[in-house]
């Protein structure tokens, strides 16, 4: 067949020759013979193709060029970019790996089989199919950014540090030492939005005198607002229950579910202060310390009268009916793992434990502004219902207070607290039966022992004890015991318990 009668391509340009040479496709097909004819940066003339291969070459060369494109993907160049803009200076331009032409815009591609990397110019990138489409979109972005950079450099000559001023506008708010209400920063944020609008318009469209004047004015107005906000910070920092930025970060880290709510209420407030509605959500230690200090001062003053009456009652100068024991405010004595440990002056050595959230919900109205201003008769009782005792000593003190209260009216001090066992969940009382004098004149006393389920006793009697209802305390002691022992039986029980303890050590 004569050469001029062949259809299709009859030669390869330098660009096409390079493209096939750097690919792997020819090496894995029946076209290895063609690969061996290729040389870097040299076109392939039809006369160099063996006569017996020319028909095959003309028929398949377009398909070979197309399929070799699929071996390549975009990659990052030396500067970490998919596309490099080498600038307007022609001396800095890079050569395209396919055509050797210096290009301002250079794409980087990599062969997925042999990892060969190529620098490709903006014209030759069209040789690589799908890469070309995405690359052209990237190029538009590069050109846009280049234009913005040129405009920025010019703008910096007109307004020094303008980039920092506008792009980091809201950093001023983030760096404030306290969480401040939206009302106090609203004007500053609106100015920031205006500054960004002028800034973007200048970078995208070029420097216009009216835009530069407006941007300068907005930046100066922003600086004035910063002074006003700083003065506001100095003022409100003297107030109680202001949430610092460090405290806010702690809540965000340790109480993420509560953080959005706390932040919402503070920034929507008029005075940037923590309110009763969000205070129970905060477990940050410095806030709890501040609350404790303020609350305890209030409790100390409010309890003066009831403590005076309590002391008179102890000396039997007045009756229990003259005192509302359930209106004594407890004193917070310790903050422990998001809990308050509290006690009542009139209940010696009994330490209660409740979540700080629950305590603030019940009694926070005494500290924070609220529609409620007066303690209800059930407030303290409800707090105690939700509380537990803090330690074993408190259970013993609880039983001792029951004994003391009952024996104020019970003749012969009949019920005497004897022992608590938390592990086995019981409390024992010794009950006086009678006394007699032997032949030598010695007085002998006879006792029995009654046992109660400790958890049931506490849950049933804690509010009764708060109110000093002696009759109900007595009824419980008389009717709710789970076991009854004579002195000999009780001694045997205690010996058995001791032996079991030794065996299980």
């Amino acid at each position: 067949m004569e050469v001029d009668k062949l259809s299709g391509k009859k030669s390869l340009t330098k660009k096409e020759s390079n493209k096939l040479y750097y690919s792997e496709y020819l090496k894995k097909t029946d076209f290895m013979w063609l690969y061996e004819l290729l040389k870097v940066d040299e076109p392939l003339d039809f006369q160099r193709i063996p006569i017996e291969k020319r028909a095959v070459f003309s028929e398949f060369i377009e398909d070979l060029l197309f399929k070799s494109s699929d071996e390549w993907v975009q990659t990052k160049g030396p500067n970490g970019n998919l596309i490099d803009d080498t600038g307007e200076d022609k001396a800095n331009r890079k050569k395209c790996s396919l055509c050797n032409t210096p290009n301002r815009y250079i794409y980087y591609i990599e062969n997925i089989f042999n990892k060969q990397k190529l620098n490709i110019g903006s014209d030759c990138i069209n040789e690589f199919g799908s890469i070309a489409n995405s690359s052209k979109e990237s190029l538009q972005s590069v050109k846009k950014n280049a234009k913005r950079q040129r405009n920025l450099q010019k703008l910096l000559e007109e307004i020094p540090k303008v980039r920092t001023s506008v792009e980091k506008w809201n950093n001023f708010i983030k760096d404030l030492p306290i969480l401040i209400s939206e009302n106090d920063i609203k004007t500053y944020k609106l100015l920031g939005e205006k500054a960004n609008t002028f800034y973007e318009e200048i970078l995208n469209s070029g420097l216009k005198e009216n835009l530069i004047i407006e941007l300068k004015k907005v930046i100066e107005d922003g600086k004035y607002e910063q002074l006003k906000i700083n003065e506001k910070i100095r003022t409100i920092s003297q107030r109680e229950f202001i949430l610092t930025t460090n405290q806010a970060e702690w809540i965000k880290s340790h109480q993420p579910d509560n953080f959005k709510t706390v932040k919402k209420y503070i920034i929507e407030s008029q005075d940037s202060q923590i309110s009763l509605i969000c205070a129970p959500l905060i477990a940050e230690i410095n806030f709890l310390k501040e609350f404790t200090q303020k609350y305890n001062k209030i409790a100390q003053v409010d309890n003066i009268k009831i403590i005076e009456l309590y002391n008179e009652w102890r000396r039997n100068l007045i009756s229990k009916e003259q005192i509302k024991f359930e209106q004594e405010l407890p004193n917070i004595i310790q903050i422990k793992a998001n809990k308050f440990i509290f006690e009542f002056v009139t209940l010696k050595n009994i330490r209660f434990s409740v979540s700080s959230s629950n305590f603030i919900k019940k009694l926070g109205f005494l500290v924070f502004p609220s529609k409620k201003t007066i303690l209800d008769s059930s407030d303290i009782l409800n707090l105690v219902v939700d509380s537990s005792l803090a330690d074993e000593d408190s259970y013993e003190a609880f039983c001792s207070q029951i004994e003391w209260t009952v024996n104020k009216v019970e003749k012969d001090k009949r019920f005497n607290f004897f022992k608590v066992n938390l592990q086995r969940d019981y409390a024992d009382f010794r009950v006086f039966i009678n006394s007699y004098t032997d032949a030598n004149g010695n007085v002998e006393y006879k006792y029995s022992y009654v046992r109660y389920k400790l958890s049931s006793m506490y849950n049933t009697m804690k509010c009764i004890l708060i109110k000093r209802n002696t009759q109900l305390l007595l009824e419980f002691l008389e009717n709710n015991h789970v076991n009854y022992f004579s002195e000999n039986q009780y001694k045997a029980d205690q010996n058995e318990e001791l032996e079991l303890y030794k065996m299980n050590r």
Side-chain angles (χ1 to χ4, degrees), residues 1-14:
M1 185 180 293
E2 296 180 9
V3 172
D4 58 1
K5 292 182 180 180
L6 291 174
S7 60
K9 287 180 67 68
K10 299 177 183 178
S11 62
L12 293 173
T13 64
K14 178 171 66 173

Side-chain angles (χ1 to χ4, degrees), residues 407 410-416 429-436 443-450 484:
N407 287 335
E410 185 71 359
K411 291 181 179 180
D412 300 321
K413 300 186 181 296
R414 188 158 63 92
F415 284 95
N416 295 275
F429 279 71
R430 188 175 67 173
V431 182
F432 174 77
I433 297 176
N434 56 42
S435 64
Y436 62 93
V443 179
E444 297 286 341
Y445 296 92
K446 188 175 181 180
Y447 299 97
S448 64
Y449 295 82
V450 287
Y484 179 90

Side-chain angles (χ1 to χ4, degrees), residues 304-318 323 325 345-346 348:
I304 291 175
K305 183 62 178 176
I306 199 167
I307 301 299
E308 289 176 351
L309 293 173
Y310 166 70
N311 290 329
E312 291 181 14
W313 175 72
R314 281 179 60 89
R315 296 193 298 271
N316 294 322
L317 299 176
I318 61 173
I323 313 171
F325 286 102
V345 173
T346 62
K348 299 294 185 182

Side-chain angles (χ1 to χ4, degrees), residues 351-362:
R351 292 176 290 276
F352 296 86
S353 174
V354 72
S355 71
S356 57
S357 176
N358 209 330
F359 192 102
I360 296 172
K361 284 179 183 177
K362 296 288 195 302

